[in-house]
């Protein structure tokens, strides 16, 4: 099945900052849209403009598909535009010390692998990439490992999300629809939908 | 045997359609609130798959993020905003969803409108494509922010998959000192637990301080749960909740209301309810609180100095340096006296009647400082109308504030209300992220509406407790 995400491999881009919020990933003015098209080019736009050395400004990282980040990545707004913009920029996996919950869920909805690793390991990985930006990183969801050259670090992901990606069943709409009759039966038991008489 | 489940788990269990082997629950959603920013792509997904809105009666839309707060004539001057407005009008029309639009009289910030209309009720599961959906937890509901793919799922099935979080009880006891508000309570909690302290948790707020709060104050507290990393925060329903809801448009009447009220009260966590974690704070330790940095946890009591970098935990130092540099503030300096350029009273955190009344009381008889631009943006058309009936707009305007139409406005600056350049804004909103208020280099100081009012008058961060005439 084409939707299966068992591993992600490619070049890496390091952004070892903490508490990167979704306003920074995609500033709110780019949410004035009715499709997600074209969001990729605006990823981190304001940070990039203020910092010529921002990793997303470097051509050496421009083909990266794995983002390496710090603690609480994707905090703040629920905007799915944030993982959409990263995905459309080319990111297929985010490796971070931790994630904000809504951002993590949004990544799952898009088939973007959001996995965690220890800060020490992430710092090592970031250093290896800085030393050699062409280094290929393989994030294996089956083995729960990220490897880059001689470096191999353990990564983690909640079972439900991992299973969904590996089996390709991360498009949840179909699964939810399949329970439509159970949903209807359930609705008949909810007090506030039944004049508080149930 | 008594039910030792906390409110969160009682409400969750009531909405559990099925739980998959991997632990994910397909949760029934009682109320789905929609706005113009995170819904257009979701409706497109429905169109692509030839799906309908499964439970249109449980779905309600309004417009808030992009609406101009000055000239609201159509088409909007901003063509992109106009396109989004047209999209939600067309989508709601085509899919049979009620839209509270600008002509309706009930339009406003979705998290102000839901409670105001009585749509938000105890025991419900509530979602919206907006992280501040946590606001609705003030009524004892499970209320969470979701992404656009989830919006499509809920539109099409009235359900979504979620993993049951842990529940942390946050107890706040004691009487708040004069000049200390609900906003200060939640800023203090976030400062103590950090911006990711709530990841994986729902927060139950309780204790005598929370008990004593009005429903509007509880909304302020629950609103910023997400700033503490918790996707959901709630307060147990009590008699205040019942009285707030009695008579509201979407609330049952007569015997049905009495049955509803009785049921709502049974949902509250009992004295022996079980929690995964508990923290306790004293109201007496909470000062009027101001953020100085670029995350909502970077705050201090207004009488306190900014931190010295070397005193902070090593893992925090990089972020603190980045914040101080961005804000143009120096370590160890007092936050009081920080010059401001803009004062903003509004947002889903603090734009309700109690917020506007208190801010108006502070500014009455004073003038906004020279060089400060001050605006008040009511949370909804109904709040605006009520405030005008009470003459609050005249108080604000006499002081030099601009009195605007309802919307999200300068909280996230998706409409024309934006900071310019490096302006510093004293703001009653919820996020001080870099660039949040519309200028990439703009700076935000979060505080209570009363503190924003005082800052507007003084032209700098002031201690509301010392503010002449505040008589708090």
């Amino acid at each position: 099945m084409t939707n299966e995400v068992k591993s992600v491999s490619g070049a890496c881009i390091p952004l070892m900052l903490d508490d990167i919020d979704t306003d920074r990933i995609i500033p709110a003015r780019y949410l004035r849209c009715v499709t997600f098209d074209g969001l990729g080019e605006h990823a981190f736009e304001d940070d990039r403009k203020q910092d010529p050395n921002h990793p997303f400004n470097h051509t050496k990282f421009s083909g990266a598909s794995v983002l390496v980040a710090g603690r609480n990545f994707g905090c703040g707004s629920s905007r799915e535009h944030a993982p959409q913009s990263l995905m459309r920029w080319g990111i297929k996996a985010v490796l971070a010390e931790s994630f904000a919950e809504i951002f993590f869920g949004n990544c799952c909805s898009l088939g973007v692998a959001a996995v965690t690793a220890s800060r020490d390991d992430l710092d090592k990985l970031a250093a290896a990439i800085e030393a050699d930006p062409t280094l290929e990183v393989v994030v294996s969801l089956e083995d729960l490992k990220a490897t880059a050259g001689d470096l191999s670090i353990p990564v983690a992901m909640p079972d439900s999300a991992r299973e969904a990606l590996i089996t390709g069943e991360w498009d949840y709409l179909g699964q939810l629809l399949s329970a439509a009759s159970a949903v209807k039966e359930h609705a008949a038991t909810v007090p506030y939908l039944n004049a508080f008489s149930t | 045997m008594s039910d030792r489940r906390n409110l969160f788990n009682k409400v969750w269990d009531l909405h559990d359609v099925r739980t998959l082997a991997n632990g994910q629950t397909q949760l029934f959603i009682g109320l789905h609130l929609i706005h113009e920013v995170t819904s257009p792509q979701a409706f497109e997904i429905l169109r692509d798959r030839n799906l309908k809105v499964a439970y249109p009666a449980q779905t309600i839309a309004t417009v808030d993020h992009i609406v101009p707060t000055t000239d609201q004539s159509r088409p909007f001057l901003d063509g992109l905003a106009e396109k989004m407005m047209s999209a939600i009008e067309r989508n709601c029309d085509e899919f049979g969803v009620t839209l509270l639009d600008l002509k309706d009289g009930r339009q406003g910030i979705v998290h102000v409108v839901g409670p105001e209309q009585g749509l938000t009720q105890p025991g419900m599961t509530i979602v919206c494509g907006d992280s501040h959906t946590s606001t609705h937890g003030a009524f004892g509901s499970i209320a969470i922010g979701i992404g656009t793919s989830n919006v499509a799922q809920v539109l099409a099935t009235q359900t979504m998959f979620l993993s049951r979080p842990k529940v942390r009880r946050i107890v706040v006891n004691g009487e708040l000192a004069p000049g200390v508000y609900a906003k200060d309570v939640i800023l203090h909690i976030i400062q103590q637990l950090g911006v990711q302290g709530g990841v994986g948790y729902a927060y139950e707020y309780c204790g005598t301080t929370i008990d004593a709060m009005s429903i509007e104050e509880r909304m302020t507290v629950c609103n910023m749960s997400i700033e503490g990393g918790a996707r959901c925060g709630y307060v147990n329903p009590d008699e205040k909740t019942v009285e707030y809801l009695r008579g509201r448009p979407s609330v049952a009447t007569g015997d049905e209301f009495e049955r509803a009220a009785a049921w709502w009260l049974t949902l509250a966590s009992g004295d022996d309810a079980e929690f995964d974690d508990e923290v306790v704070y004293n109201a007496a330790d909470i000062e009027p609180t101001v953020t100085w940095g670029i995350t909502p946890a970077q705050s201090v009591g207004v009488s306190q100095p900014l931190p010295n970098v070397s005193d902070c935990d090593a893992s925090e130092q990089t972020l603190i340096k980045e914040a101080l540099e961005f804000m143009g503030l120096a370590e160890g300096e007092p936050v009081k006296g920080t010059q401001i350029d803009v004062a903003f009273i509004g947002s889903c955190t603090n734009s309700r009647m109690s917020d506007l009344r208190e801010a108006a009381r502070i500014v009455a008889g004073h003038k906004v400082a020279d060089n400060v631009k001050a605006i008040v943006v009511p949370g909804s058309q109904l709040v605006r109308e009520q405030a005008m009936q009470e003459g609050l707009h005249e108080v604000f305007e006499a002081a030099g504030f601009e009195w605007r139409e309802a919307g999200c406005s300068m909280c996230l600056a998706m409409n024309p209300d934006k900071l310019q350049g490096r302006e510093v804004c004293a703001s009653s909103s919820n996020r001080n992220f870099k660039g949040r208020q519309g200028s990439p280099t703009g700076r935000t100081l979060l505080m209570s509406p009363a503190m924003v009012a005082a800052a507007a008058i003084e032209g700098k961060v002031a201690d509301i407790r010392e503010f002449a005439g505040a008589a708090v």
Side-chain angles (χ1 to χ4, degrees):
Chain A
M1 188 171 163
T2 52
N3 286 341
E4 290 171 7
V5 184
K6 293 182 175 170
S7 70
V8 175
S9 54
C12 237
I13 180 166
L15 185 69
M16 291 307 296
L17 296 172
D18 295 326
D19 299 327
I20 292 289
D21 59 75
T22 54
D23 278 83
R24 287 173 76 172
I25 298 172
I26 185 79
R29 61 183 177 279
Y30 295 115
L31 274 51
R32 285 153 52 247
C33 56
V34 294
T35 76
F36 291 122
D37 298 343
L39 286 179
E41 63 190 275
H42 300 299
F44 289 109
E45 179 149 314
D46 290 346
D47 279 8
R48 270 161 43 207
K49 280 194 177 150
Q50 289 170 65
D51 177 9
N53 280 322
H54 194 279
F56 277 70
N57 279 335
H58 279 290
T59 49
K60 64 181 177 186
F61 296 127
S62 63
S65 48
V66 179
L67 173 62
V68 182
R71 183 193 69 194
N72 199 28
F73 188 79
C75 59
S77 154
S78 66
R79 60 188 71 165
E80 195 167 300
H81 307 65
Q84 282 277 1
S85 78
L86 295 176
M87 186 176 81
R88 284 157 196 269
W89 189 88
I91 298 298
K92 297 185 176 78
V94 187
L95 210 56
E97 189 180 349
S98 62
F99 293 97
E101 254 171 272
I102 306 179
F103 179 86
F104 178 84
N106 286 339
C107 285
C108 293
S109 296
L110 300 178
V112 171
V115 297
T116 55
S118 77
R119 186 56 172 249
D120 281 352
D121 284 342
L122 290 168
D123 284 337
K124 280 183 210 154
L125 180 59
I129 302 155
E130 291 286 0
D132 178 8
T134 66
L135 199 62
E136 185 182 70
V137 180
V138 180
V139 182
S140 167
L141 300 185
E142 288 182 308
D143 302 337
L144 286 176
K145 268 195 318 209
T147 50
D150 300 336
L151 187 66
S152 174
I153 63 170
V155 301
M157 191 177 208
D159 285 343
S160 56
R162 176 170 166 251
E163 201 182 287
L165 286 171
I166 289 175
T167 59
E169 290 181 357
W170 47 267
D171 176 7
Y172 298 107
L173 184 49
Q175 294 176 63
L176 292 166
L177 282 165
S178 72
S181 59
V183 173
K184 202 171 170 188
E185 281 168 33
H186 195 88
T189 69
V190 174
Y192 55 84
L193 296 181
N194 297 282
F196 300 95
S197 300
T198 52
Chain B
M1 205 176 94
S2 71
D3 189 345
R4 298 193 63 195
R5 290 176 302 167
N6 54 53
L7 176 138
F8 186 92
N9 287 327
K10 288 182 202 174
V11 177
W12 180 281
D13 292 344
L14 186 70
H15 294 84
D16 178 348
V17 176
R18 58 173 179 155
T19 295
L20 306 181
N22 65 19
Q24 294 266 91
T25 299
Q26 182 167 359
L27 204 67
F28 184 82
I29 303 302
L31 175 65
H32 187 192
L33 300 164
I34 305 275
H35 64 79
E36 75 281 15
V37 178
T38 55
S39 68
Q41 298 90 343
F43 282 109
E44 279 310 311
I45 293 174
L46 264 59
R47 274 196 195 92
D48 283 351
R49 302 203 186 188
N50 202 21
L51 294 167
K52 293 179 179 161
V53 173
Y55 290 76
Q58 304 311 119
T59 312
I60 194 147
T62 190
V63 287
D64 51 11
H65 286 62
I66 53 125
V67 301
T69 57
T70 47
D71 178 6
Q72 297 193 325
S73 56
R74 302 283 299 273
F76 296 146
L77 289 171
D78 176 357
L80 295 174
E82 177 60 30
K83 203 171 170 186
M84 296 175 79
M85 189 65 111
S86 305
I88 195 164
E89 287 167 343
R90 181 170 78 99
N91 288 331
C92 288
D93 184 50
E94 191 178 320
F95 287 90
V97 174
T98 301
L99 171 64
L100 309 181
D101 64 9
L102 294 176
K103 302 184 295 290
D104 183 88
R106 295 170 293 174
Q107 170 269 339
I109 306 175
V110 64
H111 311 307
V112 176
V113 169
E116 193 171 71
Q117 291 302 316
L119 293 160
T120 303
Q121 296 178 17
M124 282 183 167
T125 43
I126 302 174
V127 298
C128 175
D130 192 288
S131 60
H132 289 110
T133 307
S134 57
T135 312
H136 305 263
F139 292 80
S141 58
I142 295 180
I144 63 166
I146 59 176
T148 295
S149 295
N150 301 140
V151 172
Q153 292 156 10
V154 178
L155 286 173
T157 72
Q158 206 61 26
T159 63
M160 62 179 289
F161 286 122
L162 280 163
S163 297
R164 189 192 294 253
K166 293 184 276 190
V167 185
R168 172 179 291 143
R169 175 155 67 175
I170 299 180
V171 187
V172 190
N173 283 325
E175 201 175 332
L176 292 172
V180 181
Y181 298 90
K183 181 66 159 284
D184 302 304
V185 172
I186 188 61
L187 284 173
H188 181 80
I189 291 170
I190 296 165
Q191 180 202 78
Q192 296 295 307
L193 296 174
V195 289
Q196 69 156 11
V199 173
Y201 284 93
Y203 280 172
E204 173 173 314
Y205 302 101
C206 64
T208 58
T209 313
I210 307 292
D211 290 344
M213 284 183 183
S214 69
I215 298 298
E216 292 192 354
E217 291 172 310
R218 294 175 188 179
M219 283 193 247
T220 298
V221 172
C222 291
N223 172 272
M224 289 187 71
S225 301
I226 187 66
E227 273 65 48
R231 201 170 179 181
C232 161
Y234 68 90
V235 176
N236 287 306
D238 60 10
E239 287 299 336
K240 280 185 200 170
T241 319
V242 172
E243 290 316 310
Y244 179 97
L245 288 169
R246 190 190 296 274
R248 293 200 178 253
S250 298
V251 177
T253 54
D255 288 350
E256 189 181 333
F257 180 79
E258 298 311 320
R259 288 200 300 275
W263 179 65
W264 294 338
L265 295 174
T266 66
L267 298 169
S269 304
D271 294 337
D272 59 351
E274 293 172 325
F275 294 89
D276 300 288
D277 190 35
E278 178 175 297
V279 290
V280 182
Y281 300 111
N282 288 318
D285 296 334
I286 305 175
E287 266 200 284
T289 302
V290 182
T291 66
W292 53 266
I294 56 171
T295 84
Q298 290 175 326
S299 68
V300 286
V302 66
S303 69
Q304 303 297 310
L306 304 188
N308 284 303
V309 177
S310 58
D311 295 343
C312 298
D313 191 85
S315 68
E316 297 290 331
Q317 290 187 5
T318 306
L319 187 63
I320 290 172
K321 280 188 219 160
E322 182 190 356
L324 289 169
E325 190 186 343
F326 182 83
M327 297 299 290
L329 297 171
E331 61 177 334
E333 292 294 308
V335 73
K336 196 170 85 174
T338 304
Q339 298 284 323
I340 68 156
D341 306 296
V342 177
F344 171 60
I345 296 174
S347 87
C348 56
T349 316
N350 284 120
S351 64
R352 298 178 182 83
M353 278 313 301
S354 54
D355 302 314
L356 302 191
R357 286 188 190 119
E358 187 63 7
R361 192 177 72 78
I362 305 296
V363 304
H366 296 279
K367 289 281 182 199
V368 169
D370 291 345
N371 304 322
V372 170
K373 176 190 175 73
I375 68 172
V376 185
V377 182
S380 69
Q381 290 177 332
L382 287 173
V383 168
R384 186 170 189 274
E385 191 182 299
Q386 174 69 29
M388 291 177 80
Q389 275 176 21
E390 296 180 18
L392 301 187
H393 64 306
E394 286 162 359
V395 175
F396 283 118
E397 285 177 339
F401 278 81
E402 294 174 36
W403 176 251
R404 299 291 191 85
E405 302 286 344
C408 299
S409 179
M410 207 184 267
C411 174
L412 85 169
M414 282 190 69
N415 75 346
D417 307 332
K418 298 177 196 312
L419 295 184
Q420 304 297 320
R422 296 193 75 215
E423 281 180 339
V424 176
C425 180
S427 182
S428 73
S429 56
N430 42 55
R431 288 190 174 139
N432 52 344
F433 299 153
K434 283 183 174 180
R436 172 74 179 182
Q437 292 191 286
S439 164
T441 52
R443 295 169 285 175
T444 304
L445 307 172
L446 302 175
M447 58 190 83
S448 69
M451 285 280 284
V452 174
I457 304 301
E458 297 278 339
K460 57 193 181 193
V461 175
D463 187 337
I464 188 69
R465 297 169 299 185
E466 299 163 354
F467 183 72
V472 288

